[in-house]
Amino acid sequence: PRCSRTWQRRRAATSGPTLAYDCRRQTKRNTAPSVDVEIHRNAMRPTFALLPFLLAGAINALGSVDQGLLALVPADTQMVASIDVASAGSSEFGQHMLKHMNSNDKGMQDFIQQTGFDPRRDLQTVVFASSNPNGPNKPPKTVVLARGTFDLSRITASLRTMGARVDQFQGADIFIMKQDRHAIAFPETGVAVFGEDEDSVRGVIDRLSNPSALDPKLVQRIQTVGSANDIWFASPSAPRLLTGAGGPQFQGSEALKSILEASGGIQFGSLVKISADAVTRSPQDADSLASVVRFGVNMLQSQGQNDPHAAALASSLSGMDIQVNGSNVHVSLSVTEDSLEQLAQTAPAHAAR
C-alpha cells in the first residue's frame, strides 16, 4: 500500500524513531508488478499450507524492519523476528539462495502452478510474533504477518470453497478454517495475517486503529538489532524453547536456560556479518554459555572429518569471536558470500527444501 491508513494512525498515536514511517521508502518497496493468486482446495492442506511456503520463501532470503507490520503485533509479544524477502536482490548470496531454493521441490512447484503465487518473487516481508496471552506457563501463540501481492477475490473464493467460515470484525473478513480453527485475514491491501485462532487475527485488526505499545525492552532491542541487520530477531525474555519442559536436554543445556534476553541478526554484503547477544542470570552463567558455544564449534570440527557439510560449517565458524562482559555474551562472525554459497551447496537435500 502507498502510505496506508495503518501508518497514518500509527504516526498519530506514537512518537519516536522506532515507530517512524517513511512513506517514500515504503512506496518504493511496494511497486512490484501485480500477480494473480488462486488457491485451490488441494493447495492449502493443511489449512495453514500457505504459511510454510511463505516461510520457505522468506527464511532463506533477507530481511529488515517493516514498521507497518511491526505496529500490528501483540503488545505482549515475547519474541519477534523480521525478514524482508524483497531485499534479496541486493545481495549476491540472496540471489543465489532465491535461485536455487526449492527448485526441485515438487510440492513447491505444484503450489506455484496452482496459485500463481511464487513467494520468492511476490512476497515482500514477513514478521513473526510470539506472545503468551494466557500466561507464561501456557503454550505461546504465534501470529504471522506478510506483505505481498494478493488477489483477494480469488483467494477468498477458494477459502470459501474449502469450507472456511467467514466472520466480520471492524469491516474486515476473517476466514476461520473448519478443521484446525486457524484464521486468515487481509485487513489492508497487500497485507495478510495468519493466526492460530480467530482471536489472534482480531487483535491484529483492532491494532489498525488502536495501536498498543510493545515492551520497552523489546523496543530497545529492535532499535539496536533491527537497524543494523537484514534478518533479525529480538526477545525481551528467555525464549520458551530454552526454558520450557520440552527445552534442550544435553550436557551444558542449563547454560542455555540461563538466558534472560536475546537478540541477533545477519547483515548481508560482500562480507556477511552474523551476530547474537544474550543477557544471562550472572557472570558465571555467561562464562558457561560461552563455553557451550565453543564446545559446539569444536564438535562440528570433529564431525567434519566424515561430513562435508559439517566441515564447511566448521570452516565458516572458525573465525567466530565470543566475548563475555559481566552477564552479557556477544557472539560475532564474518563470512564471505562465497563461503556461504559453498555451505549451501553442501547442505543435505532435505535441508535445502
Side-chain angles (χ1 to χ4, degrees):
R2 308 294 197 270
C3 196
S4 69
R5 58 190 175 94
T6 302
W7 283 109
Q8 303 284 357
R9 297 190 187 102
R10 189 66 177 174
R11 293 189 72 186
T14 60
S15 61
T18 303
L19 298 175
Y21 172 62
D22 187 338
C23 295
R24 292 172 297 176
R25 184 166 180 257
Q26 191 62 44
T27 299
K28 181 179 179 181
R29 284 190 174 185
N30 289 327
T31 55
S34 176
V35 58
D36 288 338
V37 180
E38 180 179 358
I39 301 179
H40 297 283
R41 179 184 298 271
N42 293 332
M44 285 189 63
R45 289 182 176 173
T47 300
F48 244 22
L50 248 183
L51 185 55
F53 290 106
L54 295 180
L55 306 190
I59 203 68
N60 288 308
L62 313 182
S64 61
V65 180
D66 184 319
Q67 297 284 4
L69 298 184
L70 187 63
L72 302 178
V73 303
D76 59 349
T77 291
Q78 292 300 301
M79 172 78 79
V80 63
S82 178
I83 305 171
D84 188 343
V85 185
S87 66
S90 64
S91 164
E92 291 184 6
F93 177 67
Q95 293 175 0
H96 172 83
M97 291 302 297
L98 290 174
K99 179 180 178 180
H100 295 282
M101 181 192 66
N102 296 308
S103 58
N104 299 318
D105 190 316
K106 187 177 185 303
M108 181 72 161
Q109 295 304 319
D110 288 346
F111 175 82
I112 293 173
Q113 183 177 4
Q114 292 174 357
T115 66
F117 181 85
D118 187 340
R120 298 167 296 184
R121 178 195 63 205
D122 305 321
L123 188 64
Q124 297 175 15
T125 309
V126 180
V127 170
F128 312 84
S130 178
S131 60
N132 293 91
N134 299 320
N137 297 323
K138 300 292 184 179
K141 287 188 176 182
T142 300
V143 62
V144 181
L145 301 101
R147 189 183 300 281
T149 304
F150 308 101
D151 185 329
L152 296 187
S153 62
R154 300 176 71 179
I155 291 177
T156 56
S158 297
L159 290 171
R160 286 188 172 94
T161 300
M162 295 170 60
R165 174 171 58 86
V166 184
D167 282 354
Q168 277 209 339
F169 181 69
Q170 296 186 6
D173 289 337
I174 302 177
F175 297 84
I176 301 94
M177 306 313 297
K178 185 176 181 180
Q179 294 182 345
D180 51 25
R181 312 298 295 173
H182 289 157
I184 303 173
F186 301 87
E188 289 197 330
T189 302
V191 174
V193 181
F194 304 84
E196 296 181 25
D197 54 34
E198 183 178 357
D199 287 342
S200 298
V201 175
R202 281 175 174 262
V204 171
I205 296 172
D206 184 61
R207 284 185 288 278
L208 289 171
S209 56
N210 299 291
S212 55
L214 294 174
D215 185 315
K217 291 193 297 182
L218 179 57
V219 172
Q220 183 177 10
R221 285 201 169 272
I222 291 174
Q223 285 179 319
T224 301
V225 72
S227 62
N229 294 284
D230 297 305
I231 298 175
W232 59 266
F233 81 92
S235 176
S237 59
R240 183 179 175 84
L241 63 89
L242 299 181
T243 60
Q249 301 295 330
F250 57 87
Q251 184 177 2
S253 63
E254 289 301 317
L256 297 179
K257 296 179 181 180
S258 72
I259 297 175
L260 301 180
E261 301 176 32
S263 61
I266 303 175
Q267 181 186 63
F268 285 85
S270 57
L271 196 64
V272 180
K273 299 179 180 180
I274 305 169
S275 63
D277 290 274
V279 178
T280 64
R281 295 173 301 201
S282 68
Q284 293 76 17
D285 287 326
D287 287 332
S288 298
L289 180 61
S291 296
V292 168
V293 176
R294 295 188 184 98
F295 176 76
V297 174
N298 292 334
M299 284 287 290
L300 282 173
Q301 290 174 342
S302 63
Q303 293 176 3
Q305 299 176 359
N306 302 314
D307 185 343
H309 182 64
L313 182 57
S315 176
S316 299
L317 296 177
S318 61
M320 177 183 292
D321 181 38
I322 304 173
Q323 298 181 4
V324 177
N325 182 11
S327 300
N328 302 299
V329 179
H330 176 73
V331 179
S332 60
L333 174 68
S334 295
V335 185
T336 64
E337 288 190 328
D338 288 341
S339 296
L340 286 181
E341 289 183 13
Q342 293 174 4
L343 181 62
Q345 291 170 359
T346 63
H350 65 83
R353 292 196 300 269

